[in-house]
Amino acid sequence: MEKEIVKAWNGKRTDKVPMWLMRQAGRYLPEYREVRAKAGGFLNMVYNPAIAKEITLQPLKRFDLDAAILFSDILVVPHALGLKLAFMEGEGPKLDVVTDATRLNENGFLDRLAPVMDTVAAVKADLPKGKALIGFVGSPWTVASYMVHGEGGHDFALIRNFAKLEPDAFQRIIDVLVRVTISYLDAQVRAGAEAVQVFESWASAVTGDDFKRWVVAPNAAIVAGFKKLHPHVPVIGFPRTAKTDDLLAFDIGCNAIGLSQDVAPEWAAKHLQTRVCVQGNLAPELLLEGGAKMEETAKNICLSLDGGPFVFNLGHGVIKETDPSHVAALVETVHGFKRRALAA
Ligand code: CP3
C-alpha cells in the first residue's frame, strides 16, 4: 500500500496532512548532541552507517513524523569528487576552492559514497511501518557556491562574477555536478529511498536569465535524468526564497515544490498546487518561539493549502536552539487538523 506522504507527493489530497521537518535530526535534540560528542565530528557521523542510521531515526522515535530524511549533507558530493571538506565547530563548512572542472575526479565517485548508501539501506530495514525515507542532494548552483567560495556565509560575489566572466568554465563545473548528482540520486533510490528532495538553498542569489541558466536548467536536467531511471519516485524541488516569477519557472517536472516562509500559501494554492504538491512552509523562527502563534500560523497554512496535495514542513531547517517540546506541539497541531470534505 502506498504510504500517505508518498501519495501526497504524488499529487493526491490525503485525508490527513502528512509532515516532516527539514533538519529534523540535529543539534536541537539532546540525543543528537550526545552522539556527536562521542563521534568527534560531523563527517565521522555521516560516513558511519550505524551512527548515521541512529541519527536519521532519532526524530521518529520522539515525534509522529511521516518520513525520515537521510542524515548526511549536500557537501558529500564535492567531497566525493576529491575536494577536501571539513566542518568546523561553530564555523560551518570549509571546502577546497575550485574553478576548474578538470580538478573534479568522477572516477570512483559512487564508491566513495558507499557508506551513505549503506546508511540508506540500514534505515530502510528498520523504518517504522507507514513511514517513508527521503534521500536528497544539493542542486548544482547551491553546491557550486560552496566550491567557488570555499565556505558558506559569503555574499555570492565570487560565484556571480565567475559565472558572468567565465560562463563556459562555470558551465563545465555545473555539468559535472548534474551528471554525478543523477547517479547519486539513482544510487540512493536503489538503496531504499522512496522520495528525493533537491535542495536549491541559494536559489535567490540569481534572478532572471541567470536564474534560468544556473538554477532552472541544471535542476531540470537532474529531474529529467532521474525520472528516466525512476519515473514513479517522487521528486521534491526546494528553490528556497525564489521570487514568485522564478518559482513559476521552476516548474520543471518535480512532483512537489518546497516553499520557504516568504511565499504566501494562498499564492501557492492558486499558482502551484493546481499542478504539483506543495510542501511547507512555517517559519522556523515560529517553531523556536512555540506557543499559540506557532499553532495558529501552522493551522492557517493547513487551511490555505487544504484544497489540494499538501505536505506540511518548515520553510527552512529547525533552528538549533529550538525546544523539542515545540516540535511535539507542532506535530499535534498539524496531525489534528481536520481537512474539509470536498464536493465530489
Ligand atoms: O534535514 C535533515 O535533517 C537531513 C540532513 C541534512 C543536513 N544538511 C545535516 C546537517 C541536510 C538535508 C542538509 C542539507 C544542507 N547542508 C543544505 C541545504 C539545506 C539548507 O539548510 O539550506 C546546506 C546549504 C548544507 C550545508 C551545510 N551543512 C552548512 C552550511 C552547515 C553548517 C551550518 C549548520 O547548521 O551547522 C552544515 C552542517 C550540518 N548539516 C549540520 C547538520 C545536522 C550541523 C552539523 C553539526 O554541527 O552537528
Side-chain angles (χ1 to χ4, degrees), residues 98-106 169-174 176:
V98 171
T99 50
D100 175 359
T102 62
R103 280 209 43 211
L104 303 173
N105 179 14
E106 288 182 65
F170 187 53
Q171 184 74 54
R172 284 192 288 276
I173 290 177
I174 294 288
V176 172

Side-chain angles (χ1 to χ4, degrees), residues 20-27 32 36 42 45 69-75 87 89 92-93 136 142 146 152 199 201-202 238 240 316-317:
W20 67 283
L21 303 176
M22 290 184 276
R23 289 281 173 95
Q24 62 190 23
R27 287 163 298 191
Y32 172 91
R36 191 190 201 283
F42 180 67
M45 303 195 286
I69 179 161
L70 165 69
F71 178 75
S72 179
D73 198 82
I74 62 167
L75 298 180
F87 284 86
E89 190 78 61
F136 72 91
T142 289
Y146 292 91
F199 286 88
S201 298
W202 303 116
F238 179 51
R240 188 169 79 86
H316 199 198

Side-chain angles (χ1 to χ4, degrees), residues 5-297:
I5 194 166
V6 178
K7 269 193 209 165
W9 286 319
N10 276 328
K12 289 179 203 93
R13 184 178 180 270
T14 50
D15 295 338
K16 289 214 160 179
V17 176
M19 69 184 293
W20 67 283
L21 303 176
M22 290 184 276
R23 289 281 173 95
Q24 62 190 23
R27 287 163 298 191
Y28 76 105
L29 289 177
E31 58 271 35
Y32 172 91
R33 297 196 297 268
E34 203 175 297
V35 175
R36 191 190 201 283
K38 272 193 233 143
F42 180 67
L43 287 177
N44 290 344
M45 303 195 286
V46 164
Y47 292 122
N48 180 318
I51 295 179
K53 171 192 160 184
E54 182 186 345
I55 294 171
T56 302
L57 291 171
Q58 278 177 348
L60 275 75
K61 296 218 162 88
R62 267 187 189 253
F63 314 115
D64 185 24
L65 297 159
D66 297 284
I69 179 161
L70 165 69
F71 178 75
S72 179
D73 198 82
I74 62 167
L75 298 180
V76 300
V77 164
H79 195 210
L81 287 169
L83 305 187
K84 276 205 207 79
L85 171 66
F87 284 86
M88 324 286 217
E89 190 78 61
E91 276 184 58
K94 300 267 185 252
L95 195 63
D96 277 346
V97 171
V98 171
T99 50
D100 175 359
T102 62
R103 280 209 43 211
L104 303 173
N105 179 14
E106 288 182 65
N107 282 331
F109 168 79
L110 272 188
D111 298 334
R112 288 188 285 280
L113 290 172
V116 178
M117 266 56 84
D118 290 346
T119 302
V120 172
V123 171
K124 186 66 179 297
D126 263 0
L127 206 58
K129 198 167 166 282
K131 313 287 181 180
L133 175 57
I134 306 166
F136 72 91
V137 289
S139 291
W141 166 262
T142 289
V143 172
S145 74
Y146 292 91
M147 293 162 69
V148 171
H149 284 261
E151 60 188 0
H154 49 71
D155 59 0
F156 300 93
L158 291 177
I159 190 172
R160 280 203 203 103
N161 238 9
F162 181 45
K164 198 180 164 100
L165 299 177
E166 297 184 65
D168 296 340
F170 187 53
Q171 184 74 54
R172 284 192 288 276
I173 290 177
I174 294 288
D175 290 345
V176 172
L177 290 173
V178 166
R179 207 157 44 233
V180 298
T181 297
I182 293 168
S183 71
Y184 180 36
L185 284 174
D186 171 42
Q188 292 183 44
V189 168
R190 284 188 285 114
E194 295 157 275
V196 294
Q197 176 150 319
V198 181
F199 286 88
E200 188 72 283
S201 298
W202 303 116
S204 61
V206 270
T207 53
D209 287 346
D210 290 333
F211 184 87
K212 290 202 175 89
R213 178 162 185 187
W214 305 120
V215 173
V216 173
N219 282 293
I222 288 168
V223 175
F226 176 78
K227 283 287 177 183
K228 251 190 221 157
L229 303 170
H230 302 286
H232 304 299
V233 175
V235 177
I236 309 151
F238 179 51
R240 188 169 79 86
T241 64
K243 305 283 162 286
T244 49
D245 282 353
D246 289 340
L247 266 176
L248 293 176
F250 196 84
D251 191 1
I252 50 171
C254 296
N255 302 86
I257 304 269
L259 301 180
S260 36
Q261 60 268 26
D262 49 293
V263 181
E266 300 77 15
W267 180 89
K270 202 165 154 199
H271 297 280
L272 291 176
Q273 206 181 21
T274 46
R275 285 169 292 144
V276 293
C277 171
V278 169
Q279 181 178 280
N281 71 342
L282 184 79
E285 292 76 11
L286 285 179
L287 178 62
L288 176 69
E289 190 182 314
K293 189 167 165 207
M294 169 189 85
E295 288 169 27
E296 280 312 304
T297 311

